[in-house]
Amino acid sequence: MVDKVDRLSERPSDATLVERARAGAMDAKRQLFERYVGVASAIAFRLTGSDGEVEDVVQDSFIAAFEGLS
């Protein structure tokens, strides 16, 4: 069973947010995006080497990830 809340921080676990996002909850998608946009941006910069491309790569990646949930 998925733990509903990360006990240390009292915030929803990633697994809970993914399940909610899969059901269409926009706030869950926003929370996942906010948690991981920094990491995704760092990876995108390492891959592209271009500040100008980071935003597009990150946006495309999150769109693909959220579409892949269903």
Side-chain angles (χ1 to χ4, degrees), residues 9-11 30:
S9 63
E10 294 299 316
R11 67 182 192 167
R30 179 187 48 77

Side-chain angles (χ1 to χ4, degrees), residues 49-65:
S50 168
D51 284 329
E53 292 184 49
V54 168
E55 188 175 322
D56 289 337
V57 170
V58 170
Q59 181 179 3
D60 291 346
S61 298
F62 274 97
I63 288 170

Side-chain angles (χ1 to χ4, degrees), residues 17-18 20-26 28-30 32-33 58-70:
L17 290 174
V18 167
R20 291 185 55 230
R22 183 176 287 141
M26 291 302 293
K29 291 178 182 181
R30 179 187 48 77
L32 286 166
F33 176 81
V58 170
Q59 181 179 3
D60 291 346
S61 298
F62 274 97
I63 288 170
F66 291 140
E67 287 175 350
L69 290 176
S70 53

Side-chain angles (χ1 to χ4, degrees), residues 16-52:
T16 297
L17 290 174
V18 167
E19 287 303 316
R20 291 185 55 230
R22 183 176 287 141
M26 291 302 293
D27 67 309
K29 291 178 182 181
R30 179 187 48 77
Q31 288 179 60
L32 286 166
F33 176 81
E34 289 174 354
R35 281 186 192 181
Y36 293 102
V37 68
V39 172
S41 296
I43 293 168
F45 182 75
R46 271 187 252 138
L47 292 171
T48 66
S50 168
D51 284 329

